[in-house]
Structures are given as structure tokens and as C-alpha cells.
Amino acid sequence: MKIRSDIVKVYKDVHIWVGIVAGLMLFVAFYGGAITMFEKPLERWAAPPSSLPTPVPLERAPALVEAVLTAHPEAARQYIVLVETAPDSPARVLWRVRGQRRGEFTEYGAGFDADGRLQVERIRKAPVAQLIDTLHQHVGLPFPERVSRLVMGAVALLYAVALVSGLIVLLPTLVKDLFALRVGKNIKRMWLDAHNALGLVSLPFHLIMALTCVVFAFHDQFYDAQDKVVYPGGIDWGREEHAPPPPPGTPPLPAAELLRRVNAQLPGFRVYGFSFEREKDGHLEGRVTGLDTRHGTRARTYASTHLDPYTGQVGPHDLPGHMEPWDAAVNAFFMLHFGSFGGNGVRWMYLLLGLAGAMLFYTGNVLWIESRRKKQRGTETPVQKRSVRVLGCLTTGVSLGCVVGISATLAATKWLPSRVDDLAAWHEGIYFAVFAACVAWAFLRGTARSAHELLWAAAAVTALIPLSSLAGAWGLGGAWHHPGSGIVIDAVAVLAVPVFLLIARHSRRRALRGHVDSVWSARAAAA
Amino acid sequence: MNDRRARLESRHWLGKSVAGLVFGFGLALALSGLFAWLGPDGIHGGGGKIQFNMWLIAPIWCAVLSCVFLFRDSLRAWLWLGGANAAAFGLLWLVRATLEQGAA
């Protein structure tokens, strides 16, 4: 395709600048996002063992609910009856008590011991999956939610501009460059081919991510603006109409019966649980939560809709597959971001696309460095420009710091609960301490040496993840190991170790033997 | 238009970017409003339509912000996009005035 050369030139400058500003933050967002594709197994893997007795069968849930409400009347405001229990939600009946601040709450679970006595436990979920998700959403920055959200929105806008400008730059040579990976003497050419291939092949994925992120960051502002200039009298969300409540004192249907009625109404929908909320007049409103993998969902791992607890009647219009067209379209935007359609196959694909995205931003930085390289003329090794050296250190330090930091905080998961109280603060502290140390190390040692040294650190720290699970299986030091889907976390960590070592080997060889007129040479730095 | 094609230069970054950010958002807002009124199901299309209207802002804003560097200089970007904003908001006002009148 023909595009005027001056346009290509201008957009190349645009691409370089937005890329250099947003690239490293996007690296963290994509690496973290790739890992959050397995949020559920990760939560399960990271949940400390519960001391609660084995959950009672679903048929006995009404008795348990009654015992809980008698002993803990505050649970009546909102409680959950789970159909499927798991290590990260180990009780048939759970409830939440609100904390001091908005969004803060403590979760309790209940069961009957062998003598039929009520046992209650504060549920301790390891917040490590949450931390990785927050890093993903906040592009790796440690600022409060309000600030991070604005930065995230700005980065998303830059990212959208980077995609369009990159495409404009690539279009004129698209046919020639597509599927070409010229590995050879011209290193910049090779990195450019890799960068182009990654970007073009995953362009639809990246467009989805950029546009959804702009919405995720700014939806409040968008609604406020539309509220003022578009809608007469402001946005009117309307009110959901439900059947009138039954006479006071009517008991809700038992959970097992609700399950039978929901299953009859929603074939193919796997029910995870029911939640109940007591309204001001004393009657209950219910919701059913579960998943039908034939449909994508806007919540990351489940779908949920209104349930009449007295009749078992489902109001299915919140469920994918039963929605009105506009809701279905919006549902699609969410699920395309979350990869929450098509089951685990799509999740693995999104994991790979996410890692490829991280590589795209990494190769972008490498290209910036390569195109500003001072080449050797004559015998003297040139000193690389300061900006190039700084970006080299930042590139290895930030990207590998994120990798090592996430592995470190994951490796700590199974040792913290028996030792410290504020798990969230510890997980966050470990990540940012390790991240900062890696960036400092990169500046201390230079790009070339820090690259393979930090990769060694990544391999070592990542190896600690399955080793702590192994310690848990042997019952050492308060660690634990749950059988089941969490094993995928250990398996992926085991696979990642040789990959890190292999890349470290290549980086080291390049640092020691490659041409010296580059920040990637350890010999030049020594000279 | 001028026959001697002026070549695009890597200048006026700030002016163009601000034009793209501000007028791009304005244009997206006005166009999403026009869709809300004139698109299928109209302004009373329910909660799903309201969400969809909001989602429309992102692609339009990003498209304008991405293409704003095609303007030869800041002044042209400001004038063209400002004009487009005036036209889109004027149309939105006209549509609202007509349809709200009709509904009343």
C-alpha cells in the first residue's frame, strides 16, 4: 500500500515517542495481565488451608444458615450458600461484614463439626492474585487508585495512538516485510521484523485492549459527560421489576430445591452458589452465580443474575445468552478484554497473546536502543549516548524487575500466612522491594551484565514457587499444597525456569562475545 | 486546496495533541449523543443502550487522537476539529430540540 513518505516519517516519530513513554508500563500491564488469566487457579493455589470441618451437604444448608443467623445476626444482611466449595471458599455458608472504609470487608465461613456444633472462621484468602491484577490495572505503579486510574487511561490512549501509528509506518512495506524474519548481521533489521510480526499478528487483540482500557479508565467521566449533554434530565437507569415479595415470615426455599429449579430453567449453566440479601422490609432478594462456558461473560470468571428465593424463578436477562441485544454487545466488549469466553483454551491463548504483547513492548525499546547506537569506526570503541544507556538499564531493570518481583511475591505466598498478619501489605511490599532492587541492580551493573544476571535471578526465584508447594506437600514450615487445579501454577513455574535460563545464556553470550559498540556488550562497559 | 502539496513535518506536537485530546473527546461525545438519539431504539433504549453509547466514545476519541497528526499544523487541527465539534454539537442540539419537543 502506498502512503506518502512524509506521512510515514511523521507517524514514525509519533510511534517512537508514544512507545518510549508508555512501553515499559505496558510491559508490566501485559505480563501481569497474562498471569491473571489464571486468577481462579491462582487463588485456589494461594488459599491457606482452612480449619473448618468438611462442608455439610447442600441438603443441610438450611440448618447451617439458621444456626449462623442465630449466633451471628449481622450475617442476615448478606450471606452466601455455596453449591461448589473449594480450598479458597471452604464453607457451605459464608457472609461478609463491612469494614471501616468503603469496599473493605471481612469474610466469615461456617460449618458443623462432628458433634453438630457451629464452627466459624474468618476466611483468609491470600491476596496475591489480587496484587497481580492490581499491578496489571495500574500499569505497575504504586499510586492510589484515583491517580493510577488516570495514568492507566493516559497510557491506554498512548497505546491506541502507538497501534495506529505503527500500522501506518508498516503499511507501505507490509507485503515485503510480512512473515519475514531476517536473522543475520543486521541486528536492527531482525528486531524490527520481530516487532512487526508480533504487532501485526496480534493487532486485533491489541486494538481490543487499547479501546477497552480507555473505557475502563474513564467510564465515570464518560457517563458524567453524557449525563449532562445527551440525556434529557440525566441518565435514567430504570429499576428492575421483580415479583412482589411474599407475606412476611415466609421462609425461602432450601438451597437444594433452588438448585433443582435453577437447573431446570437454565440447562448448561453450572451453579456455583446463591447469595441472599435482606431488604428493609425483611424479605430476601437472591442472586444465582455460576457459569455457562458456551457464552462469554462480562465478569471475569462467572455470571450472575436475579433469583427469587421464594419461588426459584430466575430473571435471566443478566445472563449471557439470555440478554437483550445492547447488553449482549456490551457483554462482548468485556469478554473480549477478559478472555472469558470459550473456556480454558481461550485462556491459554490469551496468556500467550499477553506474553507476546509484553515482548512487543520489549522489542520496541530494543529497537530504540539499536537505532541510536553509535557504531565503531576505526579502532576505538565508541561510548554510547547517555539516553541510550539509561533506556537500556530501564528496559532490563523494569521488565525483568516485574518478572522477578511477581515470582518473588508468589514464592512467598505459602510461607506468609503462618508468620504475618497483613498479607496484602506483605505481598505488595515484597513485589515493590524486589522490583526496586532489580532496577537499581540494572543501573549499577549496566544493561549488558544486568540482563543475564536478572534472568538468573528470575529463574532462581521462579524455581522457589514449585519448591514451596513441594515443601507444603511435605508439611514443612507451615506451607501447604492443595490437590486440584492449582497444580497448573507450579507446572507453569517449572516450565518458565529453563526458559529464563536459556534467554540468560543467550544474553550472556552476546554480552561477552558480541560486537562491542553497543550497550549490550559487557566488554565495552569494562573498557 | 493548494496544488503545491505541503509536506508534513514533525512539528506542532503539543498543539496537535491537545487538539486531538480536547476536540477528539468533544467530537466523540457529540457523535455518541447523536447515536443515542438517532440510533436504533432511540434515547429510551434502556440500560444496555446507555452502556453502548458510553462505549462509543473510546473508539471515536482514539481515532481522532491518532489521526490528528495528519494536519499540516496546529492551527489547521484546531480550526477543522473545532468546526467539526461545533457542527456535531449543533446537530445534537437540533436533534434534541426537535425530538424532545415531539415527545412532549
Side-chain angles (χ1 to χ4, degrees):
Chain A
M1 190 177 153
K2 256 191 139 74
I3 295 183
R4 266 164 48 196
S5 63
D6 54 325
I7 294 180
V8 171
K9 172 76 181 56
V10 164
Y11 270 89
K12 197 171 174 186
D13 288 337
V14 171
H15 187 73
I16 288 168
W17 281 107
V18 293
I20 219 67
V21 171
L24 288 173
M25 289 186 270
L26 285 167
F27 180 96
V28 180
F30 272 71
Y31 188 75
I35 293 174
T36 51
M37 288 318 298
F38 290 88
E39 185 184 2
K40 269 285 152 205
L42 190 56
E43 275 180 356
R44 202 148 290 180
W45 177 88
S50 161
S51 62
L52 283 172
T54 317
V56 296
L58 191 64
E59 282 68 28
R60 285 191 67 201
L64 184 57
V65 169
E66 206 184 311
V68 165
L69 294 184
T70 311
H72 302 275
E74 71 277 10
R77 238 176 42 83
Q78 194 191 16
Y79 63 92
I80 296 170
V81 176
L82 285 181
V83 173
E84 294 188 7
T85 58
D88 53 326
S89 41
R92 186 66 66 198
V93 174
L94 299 152
W95 69 95
R96 286 175 172 188
V97 176
R98 272 196 212 166
Q100 304 281 334
R101 272 177 288 170
R102 203 172 144 244
E104 257 187 6
F105 59 83
T106 321
E107 198 171 27
Y108 296 91
F112 286 132
D113 66 9
D115 304 326
R117 275 177 312 214
L118 182 69
Q119 300 289 319
V120 171
E121 185 192 59
R122 182 163 70 94
I123 302 289
R124 276 187 106 192
K125 276 185 191 164
V128 68
Q130 180 59 50
L131 169 74
I132 296 172
D133 187 34
T134 307
L135 284 173
H136 161 68
Q137 291 181 27
H138 294 182
V139 292
L141 300 172
F143 305 133
E145 163 78 24
R146 281 170 61 94
V147 182
S148 298
R149 192 175 273 261
L150 291 179
V151 176
M152 183 257 261
V155 169
L157 287 172
L158 290 171
Y159 171 35
V161 173
L163 291 175
V164 175
S165 55
L167 188 65
I168 291 177
V169 174
L170 178 61
L171 274 177
T173 56
L174 181 63
V175 179
K176 187 157 64 74
D177 288 349
L178 187 62
F179 300 128
L181 182 59
R182 282 153 283 196
V183 181
K185 244 187 138 53
N186 188 342
I187 292 168
K188 193 188 152 198
R189 183 78 248 174
M190 182 196 76
W191 284 110
L192 185 60
D193 284 343
H195 185 74
N196 286 342
L198 283 170
L200 193 72
V201 171
S202 46
L203 186 65
F205 173 79
H206 284 288
L207 284 173
I208 288 164
M209 292 304 155
L211 295 177
T212 49
C213 287
V214 171
V215 172
F216 292 168
F218 295 125
H219 54 88
D220 286 348
Q221 289 85 344
F222 288 179
Y223 277 130
D224 286 349
Q226 287 187 327
D227 180 79
K228 292 201 173 62
V229 304
V230 175
Y231 298 94
I235 294 180
D236 176 17
W237 289 103
R239 255 195 76 78
E240 237 178 280
E241 294 293 328
H242 300 310
T250 312
L253 289 175
E257 180 57 28
L258 285 176
L259 180 62
R260 264 190 293 279
R261 297 195 182 186
V262 170
N263 282 340
Q265 292 168 77
L266 303 173
F269 184 78
R270 185 171 148 191
V271 177
Y272 294 167
F274 306 106
S275 67
F276 303 94
E277 235 173 276
R278 178 155 293 173
E279 300 293 306
K280 285 196 190 86
D281 63 358
H283 85 277
L284 289 176
E285 287 292 349
R287 290 193 77 78
V288 54
T289 298
L291 192 62
D292 181 345
T293 46
R294 294 171 303 173
H295 301 287
T297 161
R298 63 182 288 170
R300 292 192 295 257
T301 52
Y302 62 86
S304 142
T305 196
H306 182 263
L307 170 75
D308 187 324
Y310 303 99
T311 62
Q313 182 66 41
V314 173
H317 52 264
D318 281 349
L319 285 185
H322 302 267
M323 289 175 167
E324 303 285 324
W326 293 113
D327 291 288
V330 173
N331 186 65
F333 302 150
F334 279 92
M335 82 185 191
L336 283 169
H337 182 99
F338 294 136
S340 52
F341 58 98
N344 284 337
V346 171
R347 282 180 197 281
W348 282 107
M349 199 179 82
Y350 265 58
L351 175 92
L352 294 179
L353 281 166
L355 293 178
M359 280 304 295
L360 179 68
F361 308 122
Y362 186 85
T363 52
N365 275 18
V366 170
L367 271 172
W368 194 90
I369 293 169
E370 281 307 319
S371 50
R372 272 154 198 76
R373 206 179 98 210
K374 273 197 195 153
K375 292 201 181 114
Q376 189 157 15
R377 300 181 208 285
T379 49
E380 204 159 314
T381 307
V383 177
Q384 297 299 326
K385 274 195 283 187
R386 188 180 188 173
S387 58
V388 172
R389 280 181 291 147
V390 167
L391 193 84
C393 295
L394 270 179
T395 302
T396 53
V398 170
S399 51
L400 293 173
C402 160
V403 172
V404 183
I406 286 181
S407 286
T409 200
L410 279 174
T413 305
K414 302 207 165 177
W415 307 98
L416 289 176
S418 59
R419 287 170 180 81
V420 302
D421 200 46
D422 191 347
L423 292 176
W426 274 86
H427 276 296
E428 202 178 322
I430 290 172
Y431 172 81
F432 282 111
V434 172
F435 175 80
C438 289
V439 176
W441 186 261
F443 276 94
L444 205 68
R445 301 280 293 163
T447 314
R449 286 196 197 86
S450 69
H452 63 262
E453 288 163 354
L454 290 177
L455 280 159
W456 283 338
V461 176
T462 307
L464 292 178
I465 297 172
L467 285 178
S468 21
S469 288
L470 202 60
W474 287 333
L476 296 175
W480 69 86
H481 173 70
H482 302 298
S485 67
I487 192 81
V488 72
I489 308 297
D490 297 309
V492 168
V494 166
L495 278 177
V497 172
V499 173
F500 290 142
L501 287 176
L502 194 71
I503 308 175
R505 199 180 133 102
H506 277 284
S507 306
R508 185 158 182 271
R509 194 183 295 160
R510 193 261 163 270
L512 296 179
R513 297 194 209 140
H515 53 88
V516 293
D517 48 349
S518 161
V519 292
W520 298 103
S521 171
R523 288 185 292 165
Chain B
M1 273 260 150
N2 209 325
D3 236 332
R4 285 179 296 118
R5 273 246 194 87
R7 292 186 64 77
L8 215 52
E9 287 172 54
S10 289
R11 287 170 57 208
H12 309 287
W13 293 126
L14 188 69
K16 288 184 191 176
S17 309
V18 173
L21 272 176
V22 175
F23 288 133
F25 180 72
L27 196 60
L29 180 59
L31 292 180
S32 74
L34 283 170
F35 180 83
W37 281 93
L38 302 175
D41 292 342
I43 195 71
H44 301 296
K49 173 88 187 279
I50 294 175
Q51 293 181 55
F52 191 91
N53 296 335
M54 186 276 289
W55 277 84
L56 277 183
I57 292 182
I60 304 174
W61 193 13
C62 289
V64 175
L65 186 61
S66 302
C67 296
V68 75
F69 304 104
L70 290 172
F71 286 107
R72 230 182 298 157
D73 51 46
S74 294
L75 187 65
R76 281 184 169 77
W78 280 75
L79 289 177
W80 277 106
L81 287 177
N85 268 262
F89 276 110
L91 200 56
L92 178 62
W93 177 82
L94 199 69
V95 165
R96 278 192 63 168
T98 318
L99 293 182
E100 277 176 58
Q101 191 100 59

